[in-house]
């Protein structure tokens, strides 16, 4: 059970704060059923209602600061997503996004970034599907890390870059390839 005032990640709404836990006074809704009333942190004017007794997979607590730092350290080791058939890329990305997992969001970002680089080198444009899921994964990942670390969302990419660059200076061989607003995170 989540508490009022707690930050949670709720599906494609991203980071939300639990504003209240109550029955809804809306016609057609079971008046005895309790709901989490959530306010998305990065979507102003929006409210999300999630039944308290619903599947726990649709919501989870935001990473702790320690978990966020461990994730950032693990970025270079997280594998790319294998996409054998470009026609199935959207299904693959969608499945990764539905997991509600930061590790999967990183994998989506890394995979699409490399696909984008290859397409540009071949003189081709980035696909609309890749662009859409890249943005979704960035928004989800950076929004959660910002809350976990107490940073502004816009500062998360620079923070990750600094952390990873510092690790690489210490002899780390493998590089991560995250991208945000034209910056490559290595």
């Amino acid at each position: 059970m989540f508490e009022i005032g707690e930050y949670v990640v709720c599906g494609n709404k991203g980071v939300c704060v639990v504003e209240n836990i109550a029955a809804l006074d809306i016609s057609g809704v079971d008046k005895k059923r309790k709901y989490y009333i959530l306010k998305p942190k990065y979507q102003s004017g929006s409210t999300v209602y999630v039944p308290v007794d619903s599947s726990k997979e649709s919501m989870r607590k935001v990473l702790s600061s320690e978990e966020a730092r461990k994730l950032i350290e693990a970025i270079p080791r997280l594998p790319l997503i294998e996409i054998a058939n470009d026609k199935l890329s959207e299904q693959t990305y969608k499945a990764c996004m539905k997991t509600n997992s930061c590790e999967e969001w990183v994998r989506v970002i890394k995979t699409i970034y490399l696909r984008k680089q290859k397409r540009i080198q071949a003189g081709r444009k980035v696909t609309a599907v890749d662009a859409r899921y890249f943005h979704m994964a960035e928004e989800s990942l950076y929004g959660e890390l910002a809350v976990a670390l107490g940073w502004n969302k816009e500062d998360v990419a620079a923070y990750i870059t600094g952390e990873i660059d510092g690790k690489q200076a210490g002899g780390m061989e493998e590089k991560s390839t995250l991208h945000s607003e034209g910056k490559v995170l290595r």
Side-chain angles (χ1 to χ4, degrees):
M1 182 124 182
F2 301 106
E3 305 288 326
I4 294 174
E6 185 173 17
Y7 282 109
V8 296
V9 176
C10 181
N12 65 353
K13 297 298 181 183
V15 176
C16 299
V17 65
V18 178
E19 192 169 81
N20 201 356
I21 303 169
L24 300 179
D25 190 16
I26 300 173
S27 66
V29 174
D30 181 357
K31 307 280 189 243
K32 296 176 187 169
R33 192 172 189 191
K34 289 200 174 205
Y35 287 80
Y36 293 112
I37 301 170
L38 310 173
K39 287 290 184 184
K41 181 161 175 65
Y42 302 109
Q43 296 176 17
S44 63
S46 182
T47 302
V48 181
Y49 304 97
V50 179
V52 170
D53 59 357
S54 74
S55 162
K56 298 298 178 213
E57 294 147 14
S58 65
M59 279 177 40
R60 65 172 172 79
K61 289 184 178 184
V62 167
L63 295 177
S64 69
S65 177
E66 182 180 332
E67 290 168 329
R69 292 180 196 285
K70 285 181 181 179
L71 173 67
I72 292 168
E73 288 176 18
I75 287 173
R77 296 182 302 279
L78 292 175
L80 298 176
I81 299 167
E82 292 187 31
I83 300 174
N85 181 344
D86 278 350
K87 292 180 181 177
L88 300 177
S89 63
E90 184 166 19
Q91 288 176 325
T92 305
Y93 299 150
K94 189 179 287 187
C96 289
M97 294 304 295
K98 278 188 171 186
T99 65
N100 218 5
S101 161
C102 290
E103 289 85 359
E104 289 301 305
W105 298 336
V106 169
R107 293 180 65 215
V108 168
I109 293 167
K110 288 175 67 171
T111 300
I112 294 173
Y113 175 77
L114 290 176
R115 285 171 51 95
K116 177 182 172 181
Q117 293 304 97
K118 286 179 185 175
R119 291 184 68 84
I120 289 171
Q121 287 174 356
R124 296 166 47 200
K125 291 183 179 180
V126 177
T127 69
V129 167
D130 280 3
R132 183 172 60 250
Y133 282 93
F134 186 83
H135 178 72
M136 286 171 47
E138 272 193 323
E139 288 295 310
S140 297
L141 178 67
Y142 295 163
E144 182 166 358
L145 291 176
V147 169
L149 297 168
W151 284 71
N152 290 323
K153 190 165 127 177
E154 295 77 26
D155 297 331
V156 171
Y159 175 77
I160 293 172
T161 301
E163 286 295 300
I164 292 172
D165 285 345
K167 299 285 187 276
Q168 288 176 342
M172 210 162 130
E173 298 292 332
E174 194 174 341
K175 292 185 178 182
S176 173
T177 53
L178 291 183
H179 177 269
S180 176
E181 299 174 18
K183 297 177 186 172
V184 176
L185 306 183
R186 299 180 185 193

